[in-house]
Amino acid sequence: MKLSITSFLLLLFINISFSAFSQDSTAVQKNRNKEMTKFDAVKERKGVKLRVIPGPMYDPSIKFGLFVAPMLTYYPSKGDTISPNSMTSVYGMYTTNKSYIVGFNNELYLKEDTWRIRVRAGGGGLNKELSLYDYSETPDGTLYPDTTKLVGADAKQKVFQFDSYVMRRVIPHLYLGLGYNYKKVDFEGNNPESDTLVTVNGLTESSGNSGVAYKLDFDTRDNVNYPYSGYFVSYTGYQYFASDEKNNEYLTNMIELMGFWSLNPTHRYIIAAKVYGNILTGNPERANYSYYGRVNGDVQRGYQSGRRVDKNALNIEVEFRYTSPFFDNKLRFMGLLGNGKVYGDYNDFTDAEWLPVVGLGVRYTILPYARINVRFDTTYSKDGFIWYFGIREAF
C-alpha cells in the first residue's frame, strides 16, 4: 500500500511537470508566453495593507485545528522602491487535542534594504506522541533508560522562544548582524507512565537559555517571499549561555542554502531548492535537541514532530513551481521531493534513517505585488499523509 501511494504521487508529480512542458496546443503556448502582472511600484508601496488569514490545519502529532493570523504589510522608508515589504503579524492556533500556540512576528526592511530587523516571540503547549527509550530498574530502585527499546509516550511539549536580530548590508548582497535569543523547552507526561518516560529520558526540568545570535546572510533573490531567481546563503549561530548553575551552555549552528531558477522568460516555471542544517555543539539539554518535523521554527514537511529526535538535523527539499494564468496569475501549484535525517547522539550519520517525502500543493496570491501567498500542501512519507495550511512559502 505504501509503495502504491508513493508511486501514485510520484507519477502525478511527473505528469504535472511533463504536461507543463510538453503540451504544444495553441492555448498552452499562449499562456506560457503571457506576461506576469505589471505593477506601479510607487502606488503599491503606499499605505498599510491588512489581511486576516484563517484556515484549517492538521498534523498527526497535534491533530486537527484552526489557525488564524492577522497580518499587516507596509513599506516604512519614504521613497524607497527597493526594500522588500515589512510585515507585522500575530498568530494563534488551537487543535482538537488541546494543543495551542500564540505569538507575533515583526520584520522590517529599511533604507533601500540596507537594514533588516526582526523581532518574534511565541509559546504554547503541544500535546504529542514522543518516541522515547523504555526504562529499566536497578536493584536499588533507580530507573535508567533502556537504549535497546523505543516506546511511545503521550506528553506535552511546553515551549517559549524570543528571537531578535539587526542586520546591515556591508557590501552588495552581504549582510552581517547580531541579535538576542531566549529559548525554553520542557516536557511533562500526560499520564503517570508517560511522565516517568520523559523524566528518565532527561526531558523534564529543562532550563531556559538566553544567548547571542551571530548572523551572516548572502542574498541575491529578486524577492524574499516568492523568488523567481537568485540565491540565499545564511548562517546563524545561537550562542546559549549556561543557566540555573548547570553545565548546559551550547551553540546552535543553523545553515540554510537556497537556490531559485526560472525555466522560461515569464517566470511561470521555477525550480526551487533548499538545504537546511541544524548542528549543536557543547552541552545542550535533550529537550533542546532537533525534533524532525519542526526544528528551530523551520518545518521539515511530511513528518510528525516528536517521533525522530537527535542532536543534529539535515533536510533537503526541491520544488517545481508553476504559476497559472488563472485568476490574473494568482493561482499557483507546487510539486515537492525531499529527504533528511536526525543524527549525532543516539545514531551517527551513517546509521540514522533517511526520511524521504513527496508532496503537492496549491497557492493563491493574496498580495500580488509583494508575492505573498496562502498555501495548502499535502505530503506523503513514512508517517503517512500530512497536510499543511500556511502563509508564504516553506522556503
Side-chain angles (χ1 to χ4, degrees), residues 14 21 63 69 132 174 199 216 239 244 253 257 294 328:
I14 293 169
F21 286 102
K63 310 306 177 186
L132 301 177
L174 182 65
T199 300
L216 183 153
Q239 180 66 64
D244 295 341
N253 300 281
L257 310 173
R294 183 176 292 274
D328 196 20

Side-chain angles (χ1 to χ4, degrees), residues 63-265:
K63 310 306 177 186
F64 290 92
L66 180 65
F67 173 85
V68 180
M71 176 180 68
L72 297 172
T73 58
Y74 48 96
Y75 298 87
S77 297
K78 187 176 181 180
D80 181 355
T81 59
I82 295 175
S83 294
N85 63 278
S86 295
M87 176 186 297
T88 300
S89 63
V90 294
Y91 57 87
M93 177 201 74
Y94 189 81
T95 73
T96 54
N97 79 341
K98 299 182 181 180
S99 295
Y100 69 94
I101 287 285
V102 293
F104 76 91
N105 180 51
N106 194 46
E107 301 174 21
L108 296 175
Y109 297 87
L110 306 172
K111 301 294 183 182
E112 297 186 338
D113 205 13
T114 300
W115 294 93
R116 295 182 172 185
I117 302 170
R118 183 171 188 173
V119 179
R120 61 178 176 176
L126 303 175
N127 294 304
K128 58 177 64 176
E129 180 183 341
L130 303 178
S131 291
L132 301 177
Y133 289 130
D134 202 356
Y135 61 89
S136 297
E137 187 173 351
T138 64
D140 64 359
T142 302
L143 301 180
Y144 65 93
D146 178 359
T147 58
T148 65
K149 183 180 179 182
L150 285 172
V151 295
D154 181 14
K156 172 176 284 187
Q157 181 183 23
K158 298 179 292 182
V159 58
F160 176 79
Q161 184 164 3
F162 176 86
D163 186 20
S164 64
Y165 63 76
V166 177
M167 303 189 73
R168 193 186 194 285
R169 189 178 66 231
V170 292
I171 60 174
H173 307 300
L174 182 65
Y175 296 81
L176 297 178
L178 290 173
Y180 169 80
N181 187 275
Y182 175 83
K183 182 178 182 181
K184 180 174 175 60
V185 181
D186 204 358
F187 289 86
E188 63 181 26
N190 288 327
N191 55 59
E193 178 66 14
S194 294
D195 202 50
T196 300
L197 284 167
V198 296
T199 300
V200 171
N201 279 266
L203 299 179
T204 58
E205 299 182 359
S206 299
S207 302
N209 293 84
S210 60
V212 177
Y214 314 102
K215 284 191 65 66
L216 183 153
D217 288 356
F218 179 76
D219 191 357
T220 66
R221 295 171 297 176
D222 68 310
N223 182 280
V224 299
N225 299 308
Y226 190 90
Y228 295 155
S229 62
Y231 300 92
F232 180 71
V233 179
S234 176
Y235 169 78
T236 304
Y238 292 111
Q239 180 66 64
Y240 290 105
F241 307 122
S243 60
D244 295 341
E245 299 182 351
K246 295 181 180 179
N247 183 27
N248 62 350
E249 69 279 2
Y250 69 101
L251 174 65
T252 295
N253 300 281
M254 190 172 72
I255 301 166
E256 296 176 284
L257 310 173
M258 303 181 195
F260 305 88
W261 301 272
S262 289
L263 303 182
N264 74 328

Side-chain angles (χ1 to χ4, degrees), residues 25-98:
S25 67
T26 302
V28 172
Q29 288 292 345
K30 183 177 179 180
N31 287 337
R32 279 183 181 175
N33 298 324
K34 183 179 178 181
E35 293 291 330
M36 291 293 193
T37 306
K38 302 295 185 181
F39 298 96
D40 182 337
V42 175
K43 180 180 178 181
E44 291 290 338
R45 288 171 176 262
K46 290 181 179 179
V48 177
K49 296 179 175 63
L50 170 65
R51 297 291 186 272
V52 180
I53 314 299
M57 58 81 59
Y58 173 73
D59 185 301
S61 62
I62 55 176
K63 310 306 177 186
F64 290 92
L66 180 65
F67 173 85
V68 180
M71 176 180 68
L72 297 172
T73 58
Y74 48 96
Y75 298 87
S77 297
K78 187 176 181 180
D80 181 355
T81 59
I82 295 175
S83 294
N85 63 278
S86 295
M87 176 186 297
T88 300
S89 63
V90 294
Y91 57 87
M93 177 201 74
Y94 189 81
T95 73
T96 54
N97 79 341
K98 299 182 181 180

